[in-house]
Amino acid sequence: MVAGGGLTSLALDLEAPQDDGHLVAVVADDVTTPVPSDPVLTDPGFLRAYTTSRQFVAHRADPSAQLTVQVRLGEPVRVVAVPPSALYGLDGTAACLLADGVPLPVEVVASELGQSLVSADPSPARVQIDAGQDSAPCR
């Protein structure tokens, strides 16, 4: 954080590098700003709104209080949950699955608690579990 008379920037500590505009920072569900790839927030309107947030007010009262910023996707992503064993040909976040017997390329968005969240077009209605590594490749 950089402050001099007023808050002039907030540097976010993100786990992974981001594309410009992929994420947005949010204050009180109505003031947003795109998160740049560097990821330092400098939008004056966003920063003014942030200085009235509970997190910032608590930090002013106790500088040891950690500052947080809510971050969300700029555009929603439709995902479906599938068993991890339905995926094959995994390469980074790209994978395949058999949807109604047809190989379908998918992007793995997240995985937890025994399910993988994948994005695909079209979204699969049914998937084959344990399709196997020798299944037909995706188109």
Side-chain angles (χ1 to χ4, degrees):
M1 153 176 91
V2 178
L7 186 60
T8 59
S9 68
L10 280 172
L12 303 180
D13 182 15
L14 300 175
E15 292 181 16
Q18 302 299 317
D19 296 329
D20 282 346
H22 182 71
L23 297 176
V24 293
V26 181
V27 174
D29 291 330
D30 59 353
V31 179
T32 64
T33 189
V35 176
S37 58
D38 55 2
V40 178
L41 306 178
T42 58
D43 178 292
F46 179 85
L47 295 172
R48 264 191 310 278
Y50 189 74
T51 61
T52 64
S53 70
R54 286 190 316 244
Q55 295 89 351
F56 193 78
V57 170
H59 179 75
R60 285 280 198 192
D62 177 8
S64 67
Q66 184 173 357
L67 288 173
T68 60
V69 175
Q70 180 184 358
V71 176
R72 68 176 184 218
L73 292 173
E75 293 293 324
V77 175
R78 171 172 249 145
V79 297
V80 295
V82 299
S85 61
L87 300 173
Y88 66 95
L90 194 61
D91 182 15
T93 60
C96 295
L97 55 76
L98 290 178
D100 295 318
V102 178
L104 178 68
V106 298
E107 179 183 359
V108 179
V109 177
S111 184
E112 63 179 28
L113 301 174
Q115 63 183 6
S116 294
L117 301 177
V118 299
S119 175
D121 188 22
S123 290
R126 294 181 180 195
V127 298
Q128 181 177 330
I129 298 174
D130 292 327
Q133 294 300 323
D134 58 344
S135 295
C138 289
R139 297 172 242 131

